Amino acid sequence: MDWLLEAKKRKDTMLSELQELVAIPSVLSDETTPTAPFGKDVKQALDWFLEKGRQHGYSVKNVADMAGHLEIGQGEELLGILGHVDVVPAGEGWTKDPFGGEIHDGRLYGRGAIDDKGPTIAAWTALNMLKDAGVEFNKRIRLIIGTDEESGFRCVERYFETEEMPAMAFAPDADFPIINAEKGIASLVFSTFSMHEDAILESFIAGHRTNMVPDKATAILNGQLAEWQEEFRAFCAKHQVTGVVEQHNGSTELTVKGTSAHAMEPEDGINAGILLALFLKDRLEGDGQKFVAFVADTFYQDSRGRKLGLDFSDEQSGDTTFNAGIIRFEKSKTATINVSMRYSVSYPFEEKMAAYELKDFVLEVVSNSPPHYVDENDPFIKTLQNAYEKETGETAELIAIGGGTYARVLDKGVAFGMLFPGEPDLAHQADEFVDIDNLIKATAIYAEAIYQLACKK
């Protein structure tokens, strides 16, 4: 079967379905109900996929309104494909409607286009191609839909409390060719209590998610501070960011606008919070000064944890990284820096954390997801490599990432596409898009992989 030709025939349907899904602003919400545990928009995106499954004759199951699956095939073994329909907040700086699904110059734009609605649509289309071709399956295949991948994996944790663990599975939610190693992901909180009032700093806010580089930071300061304003503008120009100064009844508000990026590589973005802290550190006193100095001195030009003494690198997965994703200070309250730590596969995590001490700040490990690895010689890996090479003509190298995909919750799972080598990665950034030709090519790769893994020859 020429899967690429079949995928091209379904181009219009794929794009229409992806536009429908992108139009649902499925961002985690605090406004929840028992039937919408992550918010009504996230639930709507899950329901959209489950209804598509019913319409196409799949066996469909909703699991606690947190996840669900669409199943076809028969056999004792289960092949899983894990995608997610939740997305990170749109953020600022878009030139397209983040939920518009606009098509320009061979790209479909929108939050979730590449992470992970586009890849999940590709896998869904691949399953329909196999089903419509009338192939005979020797395994059951489940397209498992999650709704909390961006905020803690609660969806799949709940799913696997009651549902079968696949014998093998892949997540179309990262890079091609094949990711068989994922770094550990820990959420760290550095905190200190503000006991001595700062004469100038009232509050400092940057970021909303630890898995995103903050693209905006704001400080509220007492006084008109006229002498700072030109210095602030010069500082922002030097660091090639936008700075805004506003006066509010005897106070001054400074805002820095940076560039968002995924936390797995903080250097792909410009952390607005770190830059604002750098500007303020020599202009404050008391606890406010101590706080911004810690942020600036610890994280400015250091996403590898060298200044913390927690740096580490290995051959399997590269550098350990640290993203200061949420930075908060409010006078006379606990000040915090929430950090996403992506640590190398062989990192001695328990030993490092147990031995770590920090003056003036308390370090708490809020969560820790250990590294994930599947041996390069496993037959599952070899089959995926064969499918990728057959459809692309390129060598299927194995790679490691600092991001966390659903593969890490599986007994035997890997991330498999759909960002191709050399393709720009705008996941979690403004003007996120999916390249339409690559969406079609990925669909063909998924079809061939499923065919080799779960169909009678």
Side-chain angles (χ1 to χ4, degrees):
M1 179 72 74
D2 186 337
W3 298 121
L4 183 59
L5 178 61
E6 290 300 311
K8 288 178 179 178
K9 292 178 182 177
R10 297 171 188 249
K11 173 182 174 180
D12 290 345
T13 299
M14 290 175 65
L15 295 181
S16 176
E17 290 186 336
L18 181 53
Q19 286 174 320
E20 290 179 21
L21 197 53
V22 165
I24 303 171
S26 47
V27 178
L28 177 70
S29 172
D30 293 331
E31 297 180 5
T32 64
T33 68
T35 59
F38 305 125
K40 64 179 180 62
D41 293 326
V42 175
K43 178 58 164 37
Q44 182 185 353
L46 173 63
D47 288 343
W48 184 94
F49 244 118
L50 298 183
E51 181 57 29
K52 284 291 181 182
R54 295 186 190 97
Q55 292 173 5
H56 286 261
Y58 288 72
S59 173
V60 174
K61 185 173 183 179
N62 179 329
V63 179
D65 295 305
M66 290 189 177
H69 66 242
L70 292 59
E71 181 177 315
I72 59 171
Q74 62 237 335
E76 290 297 318
E77 280 194 313
L78 178 65
L79 169 66
I81 305 167
L82 281 74
H84 68 90
V85 291
D86 60 308
V87 298
V88 298
E92 299 185 357
W94 288 74
T95 64
K96 312 288 190 299
D97 180 351
F99 300 107
E102 299 175 30
I103 295 175
H104 299 278
D105 300 323
R107 296 172 171 179
L108 189 150
Y109 289 84
R111 179 58 84 219
I114 195 66
D115 182 18
D116 182 42
K117 293 178 177 181
T120 306
I121 287 289
W124 158 244
T125 305
L127 279 174
N128 287 326
M129 285 160 51
L130 288 157
K131 177 176 176 291
D132 294 346
V135 300
E136 188 175 358
F137 296 102
N138 58 27
K139 293 182 179 68
R140 290 170 294 126
I141 307 161
R142 282 184 183 175
L143 177 59
I144 301 169
I145 307 298
T147 61
D148 185 46
E149 195 271 353
E150 299 291 2
S151 305
F153 286 34
R154 289 169 291 180
C155 51
V156 285
E157 289 172 0
R158 172 61 183 86
Y159 180 86
F160 286 117
E161 286 178 2
T162 56
E163 302 305 308
E164 180 181 354
M165 175 64 68
M168 63 193 77
F170 64 83
D173 186 24
D175 298 337
F176 278 130
I178 301 163
I179 295 168
N180 69 320
E182 295 186 9
K183 294 178 184 178
I185 302 177
S187 179
L188 311 181
V189 176
F190 297 89
S191 62
T192 185
F193 186 74
S194 175
M195 298 181 65
H196 306 289
E197 290 192 359
D198 188 290
I200 299 177
L201 184 62
E202 285 289 329
S203 68
F204 186 111
I205 297 175
H208 299 284
R209 297 282 187 91
T210 58
N211 63 351
M212 297 176 70
V213 174
D215 60 0
K216 182 179 180 181
T218 300
I220 304 296
L221 308 159
N222 284 319
Q224 295 298 310
L225 307 177
E227 69 278 11
W228 289 15
Q229 295 182 28
E230 284 306 315
E231 296 174 0
F232 180 65
R233 294 187 180 95
F235 174 89
C236 292
K238 175 183 176 182
H239 291 276
Q240 299 181 322
V241 294
T242 300
V244 179
V245 180
E246 295 181 359
Q247 302 292 335
H248 303 286
N249 297 323
S251 67
T252 300
E253 180 177 301
L254 300 183
T255 299
V256 171
K257 296 182 179 180
T259 303
S260 184
H262 197 291
M264 66 181 176
E265 183 42 88
E267 292 181 5
D268 286 346
I270 299 174
N271 192 311
I274 295 173
L275 285 181
L276 184 54
L278 181 66
F279 174 77
L280 293 173
K281 76 170 225 175
D282 295 326
R283 294 173 168 83
L284 302 178
E285 58 186 33
D287 287 340
Q289 193 281 332
K290 181 174 67 175
F291 178 76
V292 296
F294 175 77
V295 173
D297 293 344
T298 304
F299 299 105
Y300 178 60
Q301 294 185 330
D302 184 7
S303 63
R304 267 48 185 173
R306 289 182 288 269
K307 296 172 185 175
L308 287 167
L310 295 174
D311 53 310
F312 189 90
S313 185
D314 63 23
E315 186 175 345
Q316 302 101 303
S317 56
D319 292 347
T320 295
T321 63
F322 296 79
N323 177 61
I326 304 174
I327 306 171
R328 296 286 187 274
F329 176 94
E330 188 173 351
K331 188 181 290 188
S332 300
K333 294 186 178 180
T334 300
T336 57
I337 306 101
N338 292 53
V339 175
S340 178
M341 174 186 182
R342 312 290 171 120
Y343 61 92
S344 312
V345 168
S346 61
Y347 190 92
F349 184 83
E350 298 298 334
E351 175 187 331
K352 287 268 196 181
M353 292 299 114
Y356 194 71
E357 293 183 2
L358 192 65
K359 182 182 178 181
D360 296 327
F361 282 76
V362 175
L363 171 59
E364 178 186 4
V365 179
V366 176
S367 65
N368 178 33
S369 177
H372 176 75
Y373 179 75
V374 178
D375 189 271
E376 62 183 11
N377 295 312
D378 191 289
F380 173 53
I381 296 289
K382 297 298 184 184
T383 301
L384 293 180
Q385 286 179 308
N386 183 272
Y388 179 85
E389 291 173 356
K390 181 177 179 180
E391 291 297 323
T392 66
E394 304 291 335
T395 302
E397 302 286 352
L398 302 181
I399 53 180
I401 63 167
T405 74
Y406 282 150
R408 67 199 304 116
V409 305
L410 300 163
D411 290 346
K412 184 187 290 186
V414 299
F416 188 42
M418 63 159 272
L419 202 68
F420 286 90
E423 190 178 4
D425 182 4
L426 268 74
H428 296 200
Q429 298 184 46
D431 285 345
E432 177 183 346
F433 69 85
V434 63
D435 181 282
I436 293 171
D437 287 344
N438 286 344
L439 180 70
I440 294 169
K441 185 163 65 172
T443 301
I445 294 169
Y446 292 143
E448 178 62 25
I450 297 166
Y451 179 75
Q452 291 193 32
L453 288 167
C455 297
K456 293 181 179 180
K457 312 300 188 292

